[in-house]
Amino acid sequence: MLKLLGAVLIVLAGTLAGFKRAAQYADRPRHIRGLIAALQRLETEIQYGYTPLPEALRRIGMQSKDPLRAFFLTAAEEMSPPHNCSAEEAVRRSMEIHWNSASLKGTEKEIFRQLSCTLGTSDRSNQSTHIALALQQLKQEETAAREDQGKYEKVSKSLGLLLGALIVILIF
């Protein structure tokens, strides 16, 4: 009876691990779309609203869903007094804290890091150009993420179950 319970727990753990990995494949395109929408709002705030960058990031954070919400709010907080960090430093610190909670990869992180180097250091039109470039790159990444989701989501679910069953077979 105890062996059977152990076997069930091992298969269940493998299955849950597979479902967790599949959820990451499903969440990545959604998080990239959220990041694209946030950058479009940022471009609007900068170009038409003449909003200071910390306030624009705060507004975007309030409109976004987690985990992007926490990312933008932390970046805004880092740029505000008493921290008074540059946009690049604020985004870097925010990435250190919140990036792993999102299902985003290093390419999206690098795109956003490169964008942060120009935020707040140039005029509105130049910032708008850099945001447009980042948006284009993120849209390409979203397409790739959707393809990965289609390829690997079902495989991850099945593989988790099968690995759990394999471990049970090898142990018993």
Side-chain angles (χ1 to χ4, degrees):
M1 182 68 176
L2 199 55
K3 281 186 175 184
L4 181 62
L5 179 63
V8 169
L9 288 175
I10 290 171
V11 171
L12 182 64
T15 304
L16 290 176
F19 273 81
K20 181 170 173 51
R21 183 68 178 148
Q24 289 174 337
Y25 282 113
D27 287 345
R28 185 169 176 238
R30 189 169 42 87
H31 288 164
I32 293 173
R33 278 192 305 274
L35 195 55
I36 289 170
L39 287 180
Q40 288 171 337
R41 287 192 298 267
L42 179 63
E43 183 178 22
T44 302
E45 291 282 348
I46 290 172
Q47 193 68 20
Y48 303 109
Y50 299 99
T51 309
L53 193 54
E55 180 60 29
L57 291 174
R58 188 172 292 106
R59 287 182 187 175
I60 290 167
M62 296 304 288
Q63 295 170 357
S64 299
K65 296 179 182 175
D66 278 328
L68 296 176
R69 174 188 199 99
F71 172 76
F72 284 109
L73 290 176
T74 301
E77 183 181 315
E78 289 290 328
M79 290 183 72
S80 301
H83 304 288
N84 291 330
C85 294
S86 67
E88 182 179 4
E89 181 67 20
V91 167
R92 185 186 61 77
R93 287 183 184 178
S94 185
M95 279 183 187
E96 288 173 0
I97 298 168
H98 299 292
W99 200 262
N100 291 334
S101 62
S103 295
L104 298 170
K105 290 188 175 179
T107 51
E108 292 90 10
K109 185 175 185 176
E110 182 60 24
I111 290 168
F112 206 79
R113 189 200 60 76
Q114 288 176 357
L115 175 63
S116 72
C117 294
T118 61
L119 288 177
T121 60
S122 58
D123 63 344
R124 285 191 327 270
S125 62
N126 191 18
Q127 289 181 57
S128 181
T129 302
H130 286 290
I131 291 172
L133 175 63
L135 287 171
Q136 181 182 9
Q137 292 171 337
L138 285 172
K139 287 176 183 175
Q140 291 172 349
E141 288 301 318
E142 181 188 8
T143 302
R146 284 182 197 213
E147 290 173 3
D148 286 350
Q149 179 185 5
K151 288 180 191 174
Y152 301 119
E153 187 176 17
K154 281 186 179 179
V155 172
S156 295
K157 291 177 183 177
S158 300
L159 194 58
L161 173 67
L162 292 175
L163 283 175
L166 177 66
I167 291 170
V168 168
I169 291 170
L170 291 175
I171 289 176
F172 300 109

